[in-house]
Amino acid sequence: MNDMTKPALPLLESVARRDFLLTSGVVGGGLALGMYLPELALAADSVSGGAEINAWVVIRPDESCVIRIARSEMGQGTLTGLAQLVAEELDCDWKNVKTEHINPGQNFSRKRVWGDMSTGGSRGIRTSQDYVRRAGAAARMMLLQAAADQWKVPVGELSVDKGVIKHAASSQSTTYGAVAEAASKLTPPDEKALKLRDPRQWKIAGKPVKRLDTDDKLDGSKKFAVDMVLPGMLCAAIHQCPVFGGKLVSFDESKIASLPGKPKALRVDESTVAVVADTWWRAKKALDALPVVWDEGPNAKVSQADIIAHLTEGLGAKEVYVNINEGDVTKALSQAHKKVEASYTSPFIPHVCMEPMNATVRLSDGKAEAWVGTQNAEGSMATLSQTSGIPLANCEVYKMDLGGGFGRRGGTQDFVKQATLIAKQLPPGTPVKLLWSREEDLSHDFYRPIARAKLTAGLDAKGHMTALNIRVSGQSINAWVNPAAVKDGEDERQLQGFWKAPGDAQLGYSPANLRSEYAMRNTHVPVGPWRGVNTNQNGYFLECFMEEAAHAAGKDSVEFRRALLQEHPKHLAILNAAADKAGWGKPLPAGRHRGVAQFMGYGSYSAAVAEVSVSAKGEVKVHRMVLATNCGHAVSVEQISTQVQGGVSMGLSVLLAQSSVAKGRIQETNFNKLPITRMVNMPHVETVIAPTFDFWGGVGEPTICVVVPSVLNAIFAATGKPVRSLPLSNGLKLV
Amino acid sequence: MAKLNVNGKVHEVQAEADTPLLWVIREHIGLTGTKFGCGIAQCGACSVHLNGKVVRSCVIPLMAVKEGDKITTIEGLSTDATHAVQKAWKQIDVPQCGYCQSGQIMAAVALLAKTPKPTNAQIDASMTNICRCGTYQRIRAAIHTAAGNSVAAAEVMANEHTVVI
């Protein structure tokens, strides 16, 4: 699969990338906008070099091991984790590891030697781990073979540690850097036949190492896509029709003609106007001054109450998609000693990447280039190609690390499309940086879909759950993205976490009678995957209901769950791990109460225990959270615990605010109306990592689905009143 | 033409008087470590120091900055990231995506200048910048570390992760 004859590509030092580094990257601020230094750009080429052992590993004479990373880095630490996996098999010195990103045009031109680049679904590590470890192992074999050839000894007599190769019998030693050039010319071994190291014996992977990408985040030198500067670059601000589905009728450019920055107004698409100027601030000012006429269309009448009523109708609808139907739920409920029923509501939630949506595009000489923070670089390139009409072979996307992703910068490449549509209207070769305001970001997201659920359980005389009916009524992401793919409302994804099939998002509980149903109720509001996707809503629905059922049964919350998890030992084990670490059942300081939850998503098992107090004024304080995860293999333990903390923070935000609809548009358009978790809200978070080494699960997402219900269940314990809607209301407030 | 002292260097800037300091710093002076997050002084991504005090530069118009005022951005905090706060951030490995961290560091430096050994409550009260990745626990530990309060830092990091095999 690898092209062994080519020298290492200076991957990051392509001409366009150099432009950027040298024009915007000069510290000290002496440069004016877009100054271009071609002679320095040429000098930058010599920085690279070294020998490409295979597509993933380049070794330089100075012993640095450059590990190539095809997945996107958005803070989740995948870059460090993937490098750990390669380095583990390569047996190099971790101190010498450097990384560089692959761009999708490079992947395209080398027949996708780096595989899938998209980064979502908590797949970055788990679906890359096999081939990147094999690449590391293959590179090690080739480096050893090169040394053996040089010394004319059998390769089996060599040993290697931290990139130093030794032949004990002849007391010879050499280094990876010294043999890399020769190794790069060897025929690669059959990677599939390689034996990989037992993960229980790992020395670099699975160990707490510092991130590889921290330094430039501490001194302002890191360049995000929003920081792009190119020679002659213009900046664009956009305004999309506030009502989803509305149309742009007209705008009066004459009113902004005299404003500074040579502003020019453009129609981007049927619902979007942009102003392009020499700086973004001037473009934004002119856009604010631009008279725009919208046709808001029929959706301008839609209210939040309309949408809730639509979903509520789905809770009682007769025609629904039934996913699981085991035993006889109707009969079991009718014969139950006690019946428990409750309905819950989960609102639209925005992603809120701190780096607002942006992309820089340049179209010139039949070539299309984009600089963008993207979770799906190949999707960005496809969008660039389709929108510009320039073939993929003449496109390149320069991947920038993301200032937050959370699902917003994945499948939907609206920002790349818009930047390309703007660039098409500018003189050829003119780069344009499109940047959204926060107001655009919060009012034109692809929101976490709104949903309601009604759960019904039957309990026997001993308080054991004999029947469970789960009815979800809500908006389908699949139906928004690709309506043709959803037939008769049969969208299993909306029941994520309630699945029978093992391995990904399996329901842990096994009542004798079980039915799960989905009533698809779509709205005019765009929806998309939001970190954790449907596990968030479904984990909250189920685990808050389990708490109400345990309460009705008069049982301890953990004991009640344990009884129903006996058929799924991994679910049970992670619940126990969280309960043990949290000291479940042990006394708490006065006024504190515990709540628990367990759920499965993205191939991983999660459980949480929250410690919460609620003041007489309804102030909810989360003091401590213990979260346990079995993600199968723990590659980067530091990143696992920080991802879990991120999940806590993001989960708590859902208790603070929502995106709500009035007159067809989103009302919460900036942080003054949309509070986000801040330092004061953050509890002490403890993470228990309990890998069982028999599968590979995800890490970035499967935490939020237990954070929210465990906190809500602790509030229930404190107040005696279950919480059935989000954000917190009825006098409760997260502090 | 306005004269602006940023990181000890005087810049002559041709920008409209109502241009927010954030955009003067980013687009006219070319220092991009200071970030745009909300434009209404809510998130703190744009935090810089104005005469030693932390301010949210997205709502300070250029005309409000006097010629003798001293502005410090993340780029001017130290050479080679050697400020105690930057070193503590490195030691604790605080950043995830990193986008808000310039602002977080500037806010933390200002807090420690005023309150050299802050309590958790003082950190809560003054560190109001938004981090969507949720690095708050490590920010708290790093502030205690920068303050030389290793006991408080250890308390924050206690049981951060436990591997059970």
Side-chain angles (χ1 to χ4, degrees):
Chain A
M1 67 184 251
N2 301 319
D3 183 349
M4 302 309 301
T5 56
K6 279 189 182 172
L9 290 173
L11 280 168
L12 285 186
E13 280 78 22
S14 68
V15 170
R17 175 83 180 189
R18 286 197 310 266
D19 289 354
F20 161 58
L21 290 172
L22 292 161
T23 53
S24 69
V26 175
V27 177
L31 292 180
L33 289 173
M35 188 184 283
Y36 182 46
L37 303 168
E39 65 282 3
L40 279 179
L42 287 171
D45 243 352
S46 61
V47 172
S48 193
E52 180 176 303
I53 312 301
N54 59 34
W56 299 93
V57 177
V58 173
I59 293 182
R60 293 178 180 159
D62 68 357
E63 303 298 333
S64 49
C65 297
V66 180
I67 294 173
R68 280 148 175 185
I69 307 294
R71 305 284 183 174
S72 298
E73 178 59 50
M74 47 193 155
Q76 84 280 33
T78 293
L79 177 143
T80 303
L82 289 171
Q84 283 176 272
L85 286 171
V86 175
E88 176 67 46
E89 296 292 341
L90 182 59
D91 262 331
C92 62
D93 190 339
W94 179 248
K95 288 202 292 289
N96 292 332
V97 169
K98 295 177 165 51
T99 60
E100 67 182 12
H101 281 307
I102 299 303
N103 290 328
Q106 295 165 326
N107 203 19
F108 182 83
S109 67
R110 289 180 67 176
K111 298 178 182 163
R112 296 192 88 213
V113 66
W114 290 284
D116 185 6
M117 302 180 73
S118 80
T119 311
S122 299
R123 290 192 307 262
I125 300 276
R126 61 185 171 132
T127 62
S128 312
Q129 53 82 16
D130 185 67
Y131 53 79
V132 302
R133 286 193 292 156
R134 289 182 189 284
R140 181 188 71 231
M141 285 182 68
M142 293 163 73
L143 289 156
L144 288 174
Q145 188 63 52
D149 292 351
Q150 188 185 320
W151 294 333
K152 298 189 171 44
V153 299
V155 70
E157 293 180 7
L158 303 186
S159 65
V160 61
D161 184 42
K162 293 185 179 172
V164 178
I165 305 168
K166 286 183 178 159
H167 183 240
S170 63
S171 302
Q172 295 185 89
S173 86
T174 187
T175 63
Y176 278 1
V179 298
E181 187 63 37
S184 72
K185 297 186 171 81
L186 296 174
T187 304
D190 177 5
E191 291 190 6
K192 291 198 179 74
L194 296 176
K195 191 173 177 339
L196 298 177
R197 191 161 286 154
D198 177 358
R200 290 176 189 272
Q201 310 300 323
W202 279 346
K203 293 179 285 188
I204 298 172
K207 301 298 172 201
V209 301
K210 288 249 161 48
R211 293 179 69 113
L212 294 170
D213 56 350
T214 296
D215 286 352
D216 63 0
K217 296 172 183 171
L218 305 179
D219 61 5
S221 61
K222 182 176 184 67
K223 299 302 169 191
F224 295 86
V226 72
D227 302 322
M228 275 301 302
V229 179
L230 285 166
M233 185 181 83
L234 298 176
C235 295
I238 62 161
H239 195 181
Q240 299 161 90
C241 182
V243 177
F244 307 110
K247 304 272 184 266
L248 172 65
V249 176
S250 64
F251 51 86
D252 183 359
E253 197 178 10
S254 69
K255 294 288 194 292
I256 62 167
S258 62
L259 294 178
K262 297 182 184 165
K264 181 176 168 50
L266 306 165
R267 174 183 286 270
V268 181
D269 59 31
E270 62 176 15
S271 64
T272 308
V273 61
V275 170
V276 175
D278 64 349
T279 71
W280 187 77
W281 179 252
R282 286 168 176 156
K284 169 76 165 60
K285 283 270 289 179
L287 180 65
D288 290 345
L290 183 73
V292 179
V293 179
W294 305 106
D295 170 11
E296 294 186 339
N299 293 332
K301 296 194 180 84
V302 177
S303 70
Q304 184 79 2
D306 294 336
I307 292 172
I308 294 291
H310 183 46
L311 268 55
T312 302
E313 181 275 324
L315 290 182
K318 289 209 170 68
E319 297 277 312
V320 292
Y321 162 55
V322 178
N323 182 247
I324 300 173
N325 197 1
E326 290 183 351
D328 189 335
V329 169
T330 308
K331 189 175 162 196
L333 285 175
S334 70
Q335 293 173 352
H337 174 73
K338 199 173 200 176
K339 204 169 117 177
V340 188
E341 187 164 277
S343 299
Y344 303 86
T345 308
S346 178
F348 292 115
I349 305 284
H351 293 84
V352 197
C353 303
M354 288 312 293
E355 179 190 11
M357 297 302 106
N358 70 89
T360 298
V361 168
R362 177 166 65 189
L363 306 176
S364 51
D365 302 332
K367 191 177 166 197
E369 299 163 286
W371 291 258
V372 62
T374 173
Q375 291 177 244
N376 185 355
E378 291 174 307
S380 301
M381 197 163 85
T383 302
L384 177 67
S385 173
Q386 283 161 11
T387 312
S388 66
I390 293 169
L392 276 177
N394 295 334
C395 292
E396 184 58 290
V397 168
Y398 305 99
K399 271 176 67 182
M400 319 289 289
D401 289 345
L402 294 73
F406 316 121
R408 177 64 181 88
R409 290 182 154 111
T412 310
Q413 294 286 325
D414 47 333
F415 38 92
V416 172
K417 186 174 182 182
Q418 291 165 344
T420 310
L421 289 169
I422 295 166
K424 281 174 85 168
Q425 299 182 54
L426 300 175
T430 308
V432 62
K433 173 163 72 180
L434 166 68
L435 169 62
W436 289 25
S437 65
R438 181 58 65 190
E439 287 77 9
E440 283 299 310
D441 180 60
L442 291 181
S443 54
H444 288 282
D445 202 344
F446 294 82
Y447 302 84
R448 188 175 113 177
I450 194 164
R452 298 205 69 205
K454 183 165 80 179
L455 289 92
T456 314
L459 304 175
D460 66 16
K462 291 179 182 165
H464 187 73
M465 187 186 283
T466 54
L468 175 64
N469 195 90
I470 303 169
R471 164 72 65 97
V472 175
S473 170
Q475 187 164 2
S476 157
I477 297 169
N478 286 335
W480 183 269
V481 175
N482 183 9
V486 183
K487 290 201 176 79
D488 303 323
E490 292 188 13
D491 187 1
E492 191 182 46
R493 180 185 186 167
Q494 294 302 122
L495 297 168
Q496 185 184 17
F498 300 149
W499 298 337
K500 284 304 284 183
D504 192 56
Q506 184 182 27
L507 179 68
Y509 303 119
S510 305
N513 303 282
L514 175 66
R515 187 163 60 202
S516 65
E517 308 163 325
Y518 173 56
M520 187 165 78
R521 292 295 179 273
N522 293 327
T523 79
H524 75 297
V525 178
V527 292
W530 185 98
R531 190 181 187 181
V533 196
N534 291 296
T535 65
N536 294 310
Q537 298 90 296
N538 294 343
Y540 146 58
F541 296 150
L542 179 65
E543 286 300 281
C544 284
F545 180 71
M546 289 300 289
E547 197 63 29
E548 294 199 44
H551 192 75
K555 300 259 180 158
D556 172 77
S557 311
V558 173
E559 284 302 328
F560 183 74
R561 287 172 171 81
R562 278 178 184 147
L564 287 158
L565 290 173
Q566 294 304 315
E567 289 180 27
H568 296 117
K570 286 197 169 82
H571 290 77
L572 177 62
I574 212 66
L575 173 67
N576 287 335
D580 290 349
K581 182 72 181 173
W584 186 265
K586 290 185 183 156
L588 278 167
R592 279 203 203 181
H593 300 268
R594 289 194 184 96
V596 66
Q598 71 78 31
F599 210 64
M600 183 187 186
Y602 301 91
S604 291
Y605 303 82
S606 303
V609 174
E611 288 180 17
V612 170
S613 62
V614 182
S615 76
K617 287 189 278 181
E619 295 163 328
V620 174
K621 180 77 191 161
V622 186
H623 300 276
R624 177 189 181 214
M625 291 204 66
V626 174
L627 300 110
T629 176
N630 177 3
C631 48
H633 290 76
V635 172
S636 206
V637 290
E638 293 277 332
Q639 301 329 313
I640 293 170
S641 63
T642 51
Q643 283 302 290
V644 165
Q645 290 164 34
V648 169
S649 175
M650 222 151 163
L652 293 180
S653 264
V654 178
L655 275 61
L656 284 166
Q658 65 173 324
S659 296
S660 66
V661 175
K663 294 180 182 173
R665 72 206 77 201
I666 296 297
Q667 302 186 83
E668 297 79 8
T669 58
N670 210 324
F671 298 133
N672 52 343
K673 296 173 194 154
L674 187 98
I676 300 286
T677 308
R678 296 181 196 247
M679 176 71 81
V680 69
N681 309 119
M682 191 74 181
H684 183 252
V685 180
E686 302 173 25
T687 302
V688 180
I689 304 166
T692 48
F693 295 99
D694 51 346
F695 67 97
W696 287 80
V699 167
E701 293 172 273
T703 294
I704 302 170
C705 62
V706 290
V707 167
V708 171
S710 65
V711 172
L712 298 184
N713 290 341
I715 295 172
F716 180 25
T719 64
K721 289 182 200 153
V723 179
R724 294 174 178 162
S725 69
L726 294 168
L728 294 180
S729 57
N730 299 325
L732 292 176
K733 184 174 184 263
L734 186 75
V735 295
Chain B
M1 179 90 70
K3 284 187 177 172
L4 222 54
N5 184 330
V6 179
N7 300 332
K9 190 175 164 188
V10 177
H11 297 262
E12 295 193 344
V13 175
Q14 282 197 318
E16 294 74 66
D18 63 350
T19 308
L21 180 57
L22 167 66
W23 295 103
V24 173
I25 290 169
R26 285 182 59 83
E27 299 199 303
H28 294 268
I29 296 175
L31 293 173
T32 56
T34 306
K35 300 302 189 204
F36 166 56
C38 69
I40 59 166
Q42 285 282 318
C43 76
C46 65
S47 298
V48 300
H49 294 172
L50 182 60
N51 301 323
K53 292 200 170 120
V54 68
V55 294
R56 293 187 170 167
S57 63
C58 69
V59 293
I60 296 179
L62 180 58
M63 62 188 149
V65 183
K66 297 188 285 294
E67 196 169 315
D69 285 346
K70 288 189 173 140
I71 296 156
T72 307
T73 71
I74 185 72
E75 291 92 344
L77 194 56
S78 67
T79 50
D80 304 327
T82 48
H83 190 283
V85 169
Q86 289 167 309
K87 283 175 20 189
W89 246 245
K90 170 82 174 165
Q91 185 187 327
I92 304 290
D93 223 9
V94 170
Q96 290 187 30
C97 87
Y99 191 79
C100 76
Q101 296 297 341
S102 298
Q104 302 280 4
I105 289 169
M106 297 311 280
V109 170
L111 164 65
L112 291 169
K114 208 170 63 182
T115 313
K117 204 168 175 181
T119 63
N120 282 326
Q122 287 169 322
I123 292 172
D124 286 347
S126 67
M127 293 297 291
T128 57
N129 293 18
I130 294 174
C131 171
R132 188 60 163 163
C133 297
T135 62
Y136 298 117
Q137 182 155 302
R138 288 195 168 196
I139 290 176
R140 188 188 299 281
I143 290 173
H144 286 311
T145 301
N149 190 347
S150 57
V151 174
E155 275 174 18
V156 173
M157 294 296 277
N159 297 311
E160 193 195 41
H161 71 258
T162 310
V163 180
V164 182
I165 293 174

